[in-house]
Amino acid sequence: VFAGLGQLQVLYLSFNQLNNLPGGVFAGLEQLHELFLFCNQLNNLPGGVFAGLGQLQDLGLSNNQLNNLPEGV
């Protein structure tokens, strides 16, 4: 989905009525510092969904339907 955007540092996906995220959706975004997913309808996150985001400093997940988070988040 985000192929070729390896230098992307901020990604806003809030207010999009997302209800799931496919595994590996953020692969290749090694420079991502901020990821905002608040105010969606996420109820589950696949294990490893944030793998490879070693530069991530700010993760916004509020106002979703999450009951638990995968290990390592």
Side-chain angles (χ1 to χ4, degrees), residues 13-25:
L13 292 174
S14 302
F15 298 100
N16 281 294
Q17 299 180 349
L18 301 173
N19 55 28
N20 64 35
L21 296 173
V25 67

Side-chain angles (χ1 to χ4, degrees), residues 39-54:
C39 296
N40 279 296
Q41 298 170 2
L42 298 171
N43 55 27
N44 187 26
L45 295 175
V49 68
F50 304 118
L53 300 181

Side-chain angles (χ1 to χ4, degrees), residues 23-47:
V25 67
F26 302 116
L29 298 180
E30 293 90 7
Q31 297 301 313
L32 197 66
H33 291 245
E34 301 175 50
L35 175 57
F36 299 105
L37 293 163
F38 55 85
C39 296
N40 279 296
Q41 298 170 2
L42 298 171
N43 55 27
N44 187 26
L45 295 175

Side-chain angles (χ1 to χ4, degrees), residues 37-72:
L37 293 163
F38 55 85
C39 296
N40 279 296
Q41 298 170 2
L42 298 171
N43 55 27
N44 187 26
L45 295 175
V49 68
F50 304 118
L53 300 181
Q55 300 296 318
L56 194 65
Q57 298 173 4
D58 196 357
L59 174 61
L61 289 171
S62 64
N63 294 317
N64 278 288
Q65 315 290 314
L66 296 168
N67 292 320
N68 55 36
L69 295 174
E71 189 174 321

